[in-house]
Amino acid sequence: MTDELERLANGVLWPGFLGTTAPAWLVEELRDGLAGVVYFGQNVGEGLPALSAQILDANPDALIGVDEEGGSVTRLESGSGSTLPGAAQLGTLDDVVASERTGAELARRVRAVGANVVLGPVADVNTDPRNPVIGVRSFGSDEALVTRHVVATVDGIQDGGAAACVKHFPGHGDTHLDSHHALPEIALDVAEYERVHLEPFRAAVEAGVDAIMTAHIVVPAWGAQPATLNPRVLGMLREWGFQGVIITDALDMAAIRETVGLGGGAALALAAGADLLCIGNPTNPGEAALPDQDRRDFLAARDGIVAALRDGSLSRERVEEAAARVSALATRLRASATSDEEAAAFDAAEIVRRSVSLSGDAPEAAEALAVIDARRRSTLAVDSAASYVAEALAGDGIRVRLDVAARPVAEQDAVIDEVAAATGTTVVLVDRPDAEPAQRALIERTALRDPDAVVVNVGLPVQEPLPLPTVEVGAASRLGAQTARDALLGRFRPRQRTTAAG
């Protein structure tokens, strides 16, 4: 009886795992009906297509998902930085054809490594500029703009033969907490929340999106449970006519792991209406991660489901329904075919060049760049401090990492003076100049000590003007940094931007 229930549970589980080859336990579970896997940075290497083949050999109907958004979030290019436009860049450009073609290129790249599910696009409307987890991952702060680009990107991905998974339902854009570390609560008026934050998801359902990912957020008007565990919230999707797969955000995130736990969360999410449970990245516990953390997390989730099936708190019919939806998607993807003809003409660099802007007076063309990297520390969602951004921006010039949240002002000023004395134009690289006073203060002091310096902002565009010319990039990506470098070296002229306050 236990083996039967474990196999049933396997059909709704989607774990991450450690390594660039499939561990023995994973192969065994795939052969015993495991729904598939999610790739993270630690799985990516030259042998990724062979890894996918290994997984599909164990289970030909496996769903293989990749958290690949372009811009600031990439797994396939986690070592070097994304070479695709990000959502904020596409929203700034507001060219739905560019978004559709970016979606098609995402699908092409994911399929090229043997995967079949793109965990994107982000459908959150980023209405809180302090948002630490969404920000430039969103197309913007206006629901109509976000909606049209979500639909265009979904069309591109799914016409490209992969499944799209819009996220994070019912909308993670109006929060200043990160659900990887806490359980955010949305205090927004519910009528406004429904009008603004649900709209891109409604449109995605109407457009035929294959999958929707839940958010670990609480909307008090809909109950005290986070959306992932809330039948009222997930039930909205079915009321809208959505027949696809509801996927949970990672159950190992603190909002679930440190409240109801992995096992309890898995059972509650299924009971609430979720179909596929993303167990997540086993490296998330950081130094506390054990060598077999991947298998431990998987077993904790499965054991929680089996226990709930046994005690009757979770019905067998609900799990069978969920597994059937997952299987139907896998069967359709296995049968799909696509052409790469249109994707071959895709020009990511041109799209990003068109999206980049300059605030303030145009600086003289630089001969070299000396970069002070003052971005915030990396988060579990976004590698904010990834070295490839500063490396691509500086080129052969110097670059200095400066943690403005931790270093005393006197030390920061010493760094400014050191960089100003070096060959090249000083560049202050930031990502939250409006939301983090320490970044703005650094820029203000740099303007006094080195008036010819410039700012490159890879976060949300500034609303309060800065005292130095500012290149607005809109993504912490290798391509974005290369584009900013080209602008500062005078290789192209970015469009002029006027700030909201200016």
Side-chain angles (χ1 to χ4, degrees):
M1 185 66 173
T2 301
D3 288 344
E4 181 188 1
L5 293 182
E6 287 177 351
R7 183 174 179 83
L8 176 60
N10 273 1
V12 297
L13 291 173
W14 216 29
F17 63 97
L18 299 168
T20 54
T21 59
W25 72 264
L26 182 64
V27 172
E28 181 180 346
E29 300 298 348
L30 285 162
R31 289 172 178 160
D32 203 22
L34 183 64
V37 301
V38 183
Y39 285 156
F40 292 95
Q42 75 266 6
N43 306 124
V44 174
E46 292 183 2
L48 193 56
L51 172 58
S52 297
Q54 184 184 11
I55 289 165
L56 293 169
D57 181 64
N59 180 359
D61 286 324
L63 294 178
I64 303 177
V66 187
D67 203 7
E68 194 72 16
E69 299 173 12
S72 298
V73 175
T74 178
R75 301 293 181 258
L76 298 181
E77 298 180 289
S78 58
S80 57
S82 177
T83 55
L84 285 177
Q89 293 171 327
L90 292 165
T92 296
L93 189 58
D94 199 11
D95 178 347
V96 292
V97 174
S99 292
E100 183 175 5
R101 288 179 176 170
T102 299
E105 178 65 9
L106 278 166
R108 188 193 70 78
R109 293 186 182 194
V110 165
R111 287 178 59 96
V113 300
N116 50 22
V117 181
V118 177
L119 292 175
V122 167
D124 305 304
V125 183
N126 197 78
T127 52
D128 191 332
R130 301 170 298 169
N131 199 319
V133 68
I134 302 301
V136 294
R137 299 169 65 195
S138 167
F139 291 106
S141 59
D142 175 78
E143 69 273 13
L145 179 142
V146 172
T147 295
R148 59 179 171 266
H149 289 281
V150 165
V151 170
T153 307
V154 166
D155 286 346
I157 292 170
Q158 295 188 176
D159 287 349
C165 176
V166 297
K167 56 191 185 185
H168 309 82
F169 182 79
H172 211 306
D174 195 80
T175 177
H176 61 277
L177 294 177
D178 183 346
S179 55
H180 291 84
H181 303 290
L183 182 56
E185 183 173 304
I186 306 296
L188 194 66
D189 175 75
V190 73
E192 182 180 356
Y193 193 91
E194 290 179 352
R195 178 182 63 82
V196 174
H197 296 276
L198 296 186
E199 182 55 30
F201 294 97
R202 286 194 194 96
V205 170
E206 292 173 4
V209 70
D210 286 323
I212 296 176
M213 178 172 281
T214 67
H216 304 326
I217 58 171
V218 173
V219 181
W222 297 331
Q225 296 168 300
T228 299
L229 312 180
N230 191 325
R232 179 174 179 182
V233 175
L234 301 190
M236 292 180 191
L237 294 171
R238 302 306 181 197
E239 291 168 6
W240 297 345
F242 180 59
Q243 295 300 315
V245 177
I246 298 176
I247 302 176
T248 69
D249 205 346
L251 295 178
D252 57 302
M253 291 161 62
I256 302 297
R257 183 194 286 270
E258 295 180 11
T259 55
V260 295
L262 263 172
L268 289 169
L270 284 167
D275 302 308
L276 185 58
L277 311 183
C278 177
I279 301 169
N281 189 342
T283 67
N284 281 350
E287 294 181 359
L290 298 168
D292 61 344
Q293 190 70 51
D294 49 1
R295 185 168 184 267
R296 286 172 180 260
D297 287 352
F298 164 73
L299 290 176
R302 190 174 70 182
D303 289 349
I305 296 170
V306 171
L309 286 167
R310 281 176 167 172
D311 69 22
S313 58
L314 176 64
S315 75
R316 183 180 182 120
E317 291 75 20
R318 169 78 273 273
V319 183
E320 289 174 341
E321 174 191 49
R325 286 201 182 101
V326 173
S327 177
L329 176 59
T331 299
R332 186 161 55 76
L333 288 173
R334 187 180 182 189
S336 68
T338 185
S339 167
D340 292 339
E341 184 176 340
E342 186 176 13
F346 180 73
D347 190 344
E350 175 62 18
I351 291 172
V352 172
R353 276 194 297 271
R354 290 165 58 201
S355 74
V356 167
S357 64
L358 174 71
S359 297
D361 297 333
E364 294 291 326
E367 294 185 3
L369 303 179
V371 176
I372 301 173
D373 182 359
R375 292 171 298 152
R376 61 179 165 154
R377 299 170 184 174
S378 294
T379 68
L380 293 175
V382 182
D383 192 2
S384 310
S387 61
Y388 51 69
V389 177
E391 288 172 357
L393 183 59
D396 293 333
I398 71 167
R399 56 184 176 87
V400 179
R401 173 71 181 152
L402 181 58
D403 186 347
V404 292
R407 298 279 289 276
V409 168
E411 290 185 18
Q412 295 181 38
D413 288 348
V415 170
I416 296 170
D417 294 341
E418 175 190 348
V419 172
T423 301
T425 297
T426 299
V427 180
V428 184
L429 174 61
V430 293
D431 59 355
R432 287 170 68 83
D434 282 336
E436 296 195 7
Q439 288 190 11
R440 180 172 288 270
L442 175 73
I443 293 166
E444 291 170 348
R445 294 198 312 280
T446 302
L448 294 174
R449 304 174 87 88
D450 186 358
D452 294 325
V454 296
V455 174
V456 169
N457 177 26
V458 295
L460 295 173
V462 294
Q463 299 304 303
E464 295 295 328
L466 295 170
L468 292 171
T470 303
V471 179
E472 298 284 5
V473 178
S477 65
R478 175 159 52 109
L479 179 56
Q482 289 170 338
T483 305
R485 176 177 172 80
D486 286 345
L488 293 174
L489 295 180
R491 294 170 181 168
F492 84 99
R493 191 177 193 130
R495 61 184 177 82
Q496 192 70 31
R497 175 181 180 268
T498 300
T499 64

